[in-house]
Every structure is written in structure tokens, then in C-alpha cells.
């Protein structure tokens, strides 16, 4: 049994396709298949069900693959230890970030981070929380930026900041008459939501009440916060936005914002790491850079606040 063989079976498990796995490992498909077959012969078990497309691990293969990922991750940690012993911060950082954070948080820090750490290559993917968790488990990401708590086995959450929710109300809506929105106000008709799969949608549902289907003017067809904002600009209704999404608004849009009353609902934004993940020094540098570029009003936890859960 070799580390190379373990890397090959991990690649097949990740991509569920032998040709794609071979391409990822920079070898020919016959070479990859032969090495996996040798490993199966040595272990006396079949690791993959090759009769299915996409290929899937067998029951015993799933258990072996979990251990293989642990072993390969531990082996990769050795050169990482050597690199961390030097003063230089360099290497590749693969970052996943949720869509309701990416357009608003990334511009605050990414330019400064790249200038400060010229030896770092950053690959950024905009992904849902579910896909960030999946790719962290498979070793395809080094770190994620998402809303927590998630309580996912094998992952570590490092809280960064708490972001308040803000109301955004059409000029024609009844709530536009109010300077501040209460919990009862959020029961009003005309609520716009993101589509399912977005954690921000789940939090808004939690805030506004579970009995959403009975509300006559409920709409929830859109997939981006910017679309929500434009719909409310030109239609009717209201929605909730994360605070960072409001920073660059012009005056007409700022006039549609309404703060929420105490206790102020907030969402917790954290770095997500695999329990046995690498590049801790590089990720710590990323964390410091993000915190250094937050708006001053978000540098400290909001007083009299209520953390909104995801479920």
C-alpha cells in the first residue's frame, strides 16, 4: 500500500469518474486503474462499484476512503510544518464563500491581502454552504467563509464577526411608514425571499415566522440579493438584507432601509476548516486581514442582539 494509491482512490471518490480522476492526478487512466486494482488485490476487497455511473464506493470502500483521507492529509502536513517554520507566508489558498457574502465582503479585504502576501495564490469559488462543507471534506477547499453555527462533524468553525439584519422596504409598502421594524412587522404580507438552498433564506424564514405559506403576498423566486433589491425598487413588498449588502447603496436606496428593533437579529460569519486541514498559518493571515478591514461598527459584537440560527 502506497500514498500514491491512496491518492488515486481519493481522486476517484471525489470525481466519481476514473478518467477525470486520472487527469486530476496527472497520470493515464490505465495507470490509475492498475494501481487501484493492485490495492484492491492487496486488501482483498472491492473499493468501487464499477458497474454504476457515476462510479460509487462500495460499503467497505466508504470506510477505507475515510481512513485514506486521514492518512494522506497527515502526510501532507509534514511539508506544511516545514513551510510554517519559516517567516514567509506563501502557497496556494483555495477559498469557498457563500453568495450572500462574496460581493460584499471580498472587496473589503482581498486586494489588501494579495498585496501584503505576494507569494500567495488565491483561488476563490462562490458556493452554497452545503457545497463548501462537501468540498472541505473532500480536500478540494482549504477554507470556507460561511454563516454558522453548523455543527458539522470533522469541521472547525472560527467565528469572525456578527452581521446585523436590515429591513429593505418598497416605498409603497405599509412598513415604509415606520422608522424601525419589530418582530411583529415581519409578519406582514409582501415578503421576498431567496430561493431554497441559501442559508440566508433559512435565517429570514426563522425570523419572519414558520407559517409562510399562509401569507397571501409571499414571493420567493429569486436567487440573488441584488435581484431582491431591484424587485423591491420597482415592485412592492419588503425583504431583509445582511448589513454588508447595504454599504454601497445610493441615497434613494438607503431611504428604503429600516433597522430592526432590539434584540437586534444578527448572523454569525465564520471561517470553516477541516479538522485535519493544512495551511493554518496562511488561514490565520487571512483571518487577520478580514478583521482589519471590517467596517468599524462591526468590529465588536452587537449589544442586545439575537443570533439567528440556520435551522
Amino acid at each position: 500500500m502506497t500514498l500514491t494509491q491512496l491518492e488515486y482512490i481519493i481522486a476517484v471518490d471525489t470525481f466519481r469518474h476514473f478518467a477525470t480522476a486520472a487527469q486530476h492526478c496527472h497520470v493515464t487512466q490505465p495507470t490509475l486503474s492498475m494501481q487501484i486494482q493492485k490495492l484492491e488485490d492487496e486488501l482483498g476487497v472491492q473499493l468501487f462499484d464499477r458497474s454504476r455511473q457515476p462510479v460509487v464506493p462500495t460499503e467497505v470502500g466508504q470506510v477505507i476512503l475515510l481512513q485514506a483521507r486521514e492518512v494522506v492529509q497527515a502526510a501532507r502536513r509534514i511539508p506544511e510544518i516545514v513551510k510554517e517554520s519559516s517567516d514567509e507566508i506563501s502557497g496556494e489558498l483555495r477559498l469557498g464563500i457563500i453568495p450572500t457574502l462574496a460581493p460584499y465582503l471580498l472587496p473589503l479585504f482581498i486586494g489588501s491581502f494579495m498585496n501584503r502576501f505576494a507569494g500567495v495564490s488565491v483561488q476563490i469559488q462562490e458556493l452554497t454552504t452545503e457545497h463548501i462543507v462537501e468540498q472541505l471534506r473532500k480536500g478540494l477547499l482549504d477554507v470556507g467563509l460561511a454563516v454558522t453555527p453548523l455543527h458539522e462533524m470533522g469541521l472547525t468553525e472560527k467565528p469572525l464577526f456578527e452581521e446585523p439584519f436590515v429591513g429593505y422596504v418598497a416605498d409603497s409598502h405599509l412598513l415604509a411608514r415606520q422608522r424601525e421594524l419589530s418582530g411583529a412587522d415581519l409578519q406582514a404580507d409582501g415578503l421576498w425571499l431567496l430561493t431554497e438552498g441559501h442559508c440566508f433564506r433559512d435565517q429570514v424564514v426563522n425570523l419572519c415566522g414558520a407559517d409562510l405559506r399562509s401569507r397571501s403576498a409571499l414571493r420567493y423566486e429569486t436567487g440573488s440579493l441584488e435581484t431582491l433589491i431591484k424587485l423591491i425598487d420597482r415592485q412592492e413588498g419588503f425583504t431583509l438584507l445582511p448589513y454588508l449588502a447595504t454599504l454601497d447603496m445610493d441615497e434613494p436606496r438607503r431611504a428604503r432601509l429600516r433597522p430592526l428593533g432590539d434584540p437586534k437579529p444578527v448572523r454569525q460569519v465564520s471561517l470553516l476548516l477541516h479538522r485535519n486541514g493544512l495551511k493554518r498559518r496562511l488561514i490565520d493571515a487571512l483571518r487577520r486581514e478580514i478583521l482589519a478591514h471590517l467596517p468599524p461598527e462591526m468590529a465588536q459584537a452587537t449589544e442586545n442582539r439575537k443570533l439567528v440560527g440556520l435551522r
Side-chain angles (χ1 to χ4, degrees):
M1 186 187 307
T2 67
L3 284 173
T4 299
Q5 289 173 328
L6 298 184
E7 289 174 343
Y8 288 173
I9 65 172
I10 289 170
V12 173
D13 181 44
T14 298
F15 298 105
R16 300 300 170 95
H17 192 274
F18 275 80
T20 306
Q23 185 178 11
H24 175 77
C25 295
H26 307 291
V27 296
T28 64
Q29 183 176 341
T31 297
L32 179 134
S33 297
M34 180 187 67
Q35 288 297 323
I36 291 177
Q37 185 64 61
K38 286 178 65 177
L39 179 59
E40 288 178 324
D41 291 343
E42 177 183 345
L43 296 175
V45 296
Q46 187 175 356
L47 298 175
F48 297 101
D49 183 352
R50 293 163 173 80
S51 67
R52 298 175 61 179
Q53 291 296 328
V55 65
V56 296
T58 60
E59 187 173 346
V60 68
Q62 292 177 10
V63 179
I64 291 172
L65 278 157
L66 286 174
Q67 188 62 43
R69 290 184 184 276
E70 296 278 350
V71 171
V72 170
Q73 196 80 343
R76 289 175 180 169
R77 181 65 181 149
I78 294 174
E80 195 71 26
I81 291 171
V82 176
K83 182 180 291 186
E84 289 179 353
S85 67
S86 68
D87 293 332
E88 183 182 1
I89 294 180
S90 61
E92 180 185 72
L93 185 66
R94 299 166 299 174
L95 169 66
I97 183 170
I98 58 175
T100 57
L101 270 177
Y104 315 112
L105 182 60
L106 280 175
L108 298 181
F109 73 87
I110 195 64
S112 174
F113 180 80
M114 297 300 295
N115 289 334
R116 184 183 295 270
F117 304 106
V120 176
S121 169
V122 182
Q123 294 184 10
I124 302 172
Q125 295 184 64
E126 193 172 307
L127 303 165
T128 63
T129 302
E130 180 183 359
H131 288 126
I132 289 175
V133 169
E134 178 186 359
Q135 296 208 22
L136 283 170
R137 292 194 192 285
K138 291 182 175 180
L140 298 176
L141 288 177
D142 300 309
V143 64
L145 270 167
V147 172
T148 55
L150 296 175
H151 306 299
E152 290 284 346
M153 291 286 291
L155 297 186
T156 299
E157 301 174 3
K158 289 193 171 184
L160 286 169
F161 59 88
E162 292 178 348
E163 183 180 21
F165 290 75
V166 183
Y168 192 72
V169 184
D171 297 335
S172 59
H173 197 276
L174 288 174
L175 296 181
R177 303 173 185 172
Q178 301 184 202
R179 294 185 177 182
E180 183 177 270
L181 303 183
S182 66
D185 293 329
L186 301 182
Q187 306 296 317
D189 285 339
L191 174 65
W192 289 89
L193 290 173
L194 293 176
T195 51
E196 291 187 14
H198 293 271
C199 60
F200 190 74
R201 170 198 164 91
D202 296 336
Q203 291 181 303
V204 172
V205 169
N206 287 341
L207 264 177
C208 297
D211 191 22
L212 292 175
R213 292 185 181 180
S214 65
R215 291 158 66 170
S216 59
L218 173 66
R219 305 173 177 90
Y220 56 99
E221 302 92 351
T222 185
S224 77
L225 290 177
E226 189 59 31
T227 305
L228 282 181
I229 293 169
K230 288 182 177 179
L231 285 168
I232 290 169
D233 287 344
R234 301 182 183 184
Q235 305 277 336
E236 297 179 353
F238 73 102
T239 193
L240 296 182
L241 300 173
Y243 177 76
L244 289 176
T246 70
L247 293 182
D248 294 329
M249 285 184 168
D250 57 22
E251 284 305 315
R253 283 185 169 178
R254 296 193 71 80
R256 299 186 183 104
L257 296 175
R258 297 293 184 275
L260 302 186
D262 292 338
K264 297 191 181 301
V266 298
R267 65 175 185 170
Q268 182 186 72
V269 176
S270 300
L271 290 174
L272 294 180
L273 300 81
H274 193 278
R275 181 186 59 195
N276 298 322
L278 309 175
K279 307 179 183 178
R280 296 302 175 98
R281 192 157 174 254
L282 184 50
I283 292 169
D284 284 343
L286 175 71
R287 181 178 184 274
R288 291 193 298 271
E289 202 68 23
I290 294 172
L291 293 176
H293 288 84
L294 288 177
E297 61 271 25
M298 292 179 60
Q300 296 180 345
T302 306
E303 294 184 6
N304 198 7
R305 89 281 192 273
K306 168 186 164 185
L307 186 63
V308 181
L310 293 166
R311 295 178 178 85

